[in-house]
Amino acid sequence: MTYSQTALDQLESGQLDDFKKSFQLALANDSDDMLYSLAEELYSLGFSDDSTTIYEKLLKKFPDDDNLKINLAELAIDKDDDDKALNYLSHVSPESPEYIRSLMVSADLYQTQGMFEISEQKLLEAQKLAPDEPVIQFALAEFYFTTRNYRKAINLYLTLIKSGTLEMSAVDLVERLGVSYAEIGKFEQAVGYLEQIKPVKMSSDVKFELAFTYFNLKDYTKAIKAFEDLRDSDPQYSSLYPYLADSFVNLKRVDEALTAIQEGIAIDHYNEKIWQKAGQIATMANEDDLALKYLLKGREIAPDDMEILTLVSDWYISHERYSDNLKLLEPVVEDHVFDAHLAYNLAQSYQNAGKTKLAANNYEIAAHELSDNPSFLKHAALFYREAADVEKEKQYLKKYLELVPDDLEMASMYDEDIDL
């Protein structure tokens, strides 16, 4: 028995001290081929330092062996010693039979460094040298998939699948293709591939993609079933709950929607978007106090979220709690974070508080973007009527009647103003 085999046997039985002795004897006595095999075995077992020692010894003896350089580069990458890895790879000549492999390893290294353009260049160079090599096509497809360039990934996955390659490196290419189509909004194509995957082989992410695809195809019954399947297998997957709730809403099953989003709250208590969705659905369920409670909780978690701020403000306006709306929005004005819709809400609140000048100022701010909003135009017209500003009243009434010409009451007001 060789020292290499003895060392491996000792390692397998946990005799680490004996292994170290046998390892040194192997380095000194075993053949080069035996040492090479030992290095591979040790690497697979996680003993990368010992593998490095062997490869370095062999490289001194065979300085032109590019396989050894690439193996050492991979080991250096594992240790986050990128400079050392690049040094080994740089010594692999373009004329070498191993050059394509060195390009692939370089691409992986540059990708981990976030240098995506260089990584892509390396892979494209490898593809140019071996255009029909499936491993390169797969590596390039995975690169594009990882960097969210799904259209390019689709072409490569399709090429591989058409050639009969359905799986590579434990990656299901049909799954990848389905997810890629879903990510670019081609849901009809996506569902055809995603439905081919056996449920037991689906990860939580893929289950979500399938459910999300049904949702976007407006097949809400299937979406509910798929989202519930994901929930049952992975209840911590919090992104599913807003879509499950929306699926129920679209089928007018609001009570079930509220239950679903409440499950989401229990799972992800610090996700402001779940609280936001809960507030919106509680409103649909005529649970107004509960809606405000949920929206305020979302705002507590994300005080800078303008969407939640607007929903809280709208709630106060619809319930005529104008003083609460002023308390909510006046600090936002001071921070110069504002928009037309909130200006409209603030104008109504100042109007109710009898602060005519501030109300007028906010109506004018809102008018820049809401001049085609009938509700806004009517409110503004009535405000200026109350403020006895006939010219402004006529201005807003005219725009309003262009949009709602059959409002006889407002038309009568406009005629009165024209006669003045």
Side-chain angles (χ1 to χ4, degrees), residues 10 16 19 51 53 66 115 123 136 141 156 187 200 231 280 323 339 359:
Q10 291 167 338
L16 294 182
F19 160 74
S51 292
T53 299
D66 291 330
M115 301 172 71
L123 289 171
I136 298 173
L156 290 158
F187 300 111
V200 293
R231 179 198 61 192
Q280 292 170 302
S323 60
D339 66 17

Side-chain angles (χ1 to χ4, degrees), residues 136-295:
I136 298 173
Q137 292 173 344
F138 173 70
L140 198 50
E142 287 290 282
F143 169 80
Y144 288 133
F145 184 87
T146 303
T147 55
R148 304 182 69 82
N149 194 337
Y150 297 109
R151 294 183 188 277
K152 289 185 176 180
I154 285 169
N155 292 331
L156 290 158
Y157 288 132
L158 277 172
T159 298
L160 288 164
I161 289 171
K162 288 176 181 177
S163 71
T165 304
L166 301 181
E167 185 175 306
M168 187 172 284
S169 299
V171 173
D172 187 327
L173 303 191
V174 174
E175 173 190 305
R176 283 285 202 263
L177 188 56
V179 171
S180 297
Y181 273 126
E183 289 290 340
I184 64 171
K186 292 196 172 184
F187 300 111
E188 291 83 359
Q189 292 94 326
V191 75
Y193 288 102
L194 292 173
E195 285 182 338
Q196 294 180 41
I197 307 166
K198 293 180 180 179
V200 293
K201 288 190 173 183
M202 280 190 178
S203 66
S204 293
D205 287 341
V206 176
K207 286 183 178 181
F208 179 85
E209 288 287 356
L210 178 59
F212 185 67
T213 298
Y214 287 137
F215 180 86
N216 281 283
L217 289 172
K218 299 183 175 12
D219 192 339
Y220 300 116
T221 300
K222 283 187 177 179
I224 288 169
K225 185 176 184 303
F227 281 125
E228 287 183 333
D229 175 60
L230 171 56
R231 179 198 61 192
D232 294 343
S233 63
D234 186 0
Q236 300 299 318
Y237 203 102
S238 60
S239 299
L240 76 90
Y241 294 97
Y243 290 106
L244 175 58
D246 274 340
S247 298
F248 282 123
V249 167
N250 280 291
L251 293 179
K252 303 189 185 313
R253 294 158 61 179
V254 177
D255 289 343
E256 290 170 276
L258 186 57
T259 298
I261 201 64
Q262 287 170 334
E263 289 175 2
I265 288 172
I267 293 297
D268 191 353
H269 198 70
Y270 298 100
N271 185 334
E272 71 276 9
K273 290 303 179 184
I274 290 182
W275 287 105
Q276 175 184 323
K277 180 63 65 177
Q280 292 170 302
I281 294 174
T283 299
M284 295 177 199
N286 296 316
E287 298 278 359
D288 283 358
D289 292 340
L290 188 61
L292 179 61
K293 174 185 173 183
Y294 288 155
L295 292 173

Side-chain angles (χ1 to χ4, degrees), residues 338-340 343-344 360-370 376 396:
F338 224 58
D339 66 17
Y344 175 27
N361 183 52
N362 280 281
Y363 273 120
E364 294 308 308
I365 292 172
H368 291 294
E369 294 180 26
L370 300 181
F376 165 74
Y396 283 102

Side-chain angles (χ1 to χ4, degrees), residues 253-354:
R253 294 158 61 179
V254 177
D255 289 343
E256 290 170 276
L258 186 57
T259 298
I261 201 64
Q262 287 170 334
E263 289 175 2
I265 288 172
I267 293 297
D268 191 353
H269 198 70
Y270 298 100
N271 185 334
E272 71 276 9
K273 290 303 179 184
I274 290 182
W275 287 105
Q276 175 184 323
K277 180 63 65 177
Q280 292 170 302
I281 294 174
T283 299
M284 295 177 199
N286 296 316
E287 298 278 359
D288 283 358
D289 292 340
L290 188 61
L292 179 61
K293 174 185 173 183
Y294 288 155
L295 292 173
L296 288 175
K297 182 63 179 179
R299 177 156 168 73
E300 178 186 322
I301 295 168
D304 296 327
D305 189 304
M306 294 298 288
E307 194 173 0
I308 296 175
L309 172 72
T310 301
L311 288 170
V312 175
S313 178
D314 286 346
W315 193 98
Y316 285 143
I317 292 296
S318 67
H319 291 78
E320 299 183 353
R321 286 174 52 174
Y322 298 110
S323 60
D324 286 326
N325 191 53
L326 289 175
K327 291 176 185 176
L328 176 74
L329 295 186
E330 284 181 329
V332 179
V333 178
E334 292 174 6
D335 292 338
H336 306 290
V337 179
F338 224 58
D339 66 17
H341 185 87
L342 292 179
Y344 175 27
N345 285 357
L346 197 53
Q348 293 174 77
S349 301
Y350 280 130
Q351 181 180 349
N352 177 265

Side-chain angles (χ1 to χ4, degrees), residues 379-397:
H379 270 111
L382 293 173
F383 164 73
Y384 283 114
R385 183 179 183 84
E386 183 181 315
D389 188 334
V390 177
E391 291 305 313
K392 284 285 188 182
E393 179 190 353
K394 285 195 295 185
Q395 173 189 330
Y396 283 102
L397 275 175

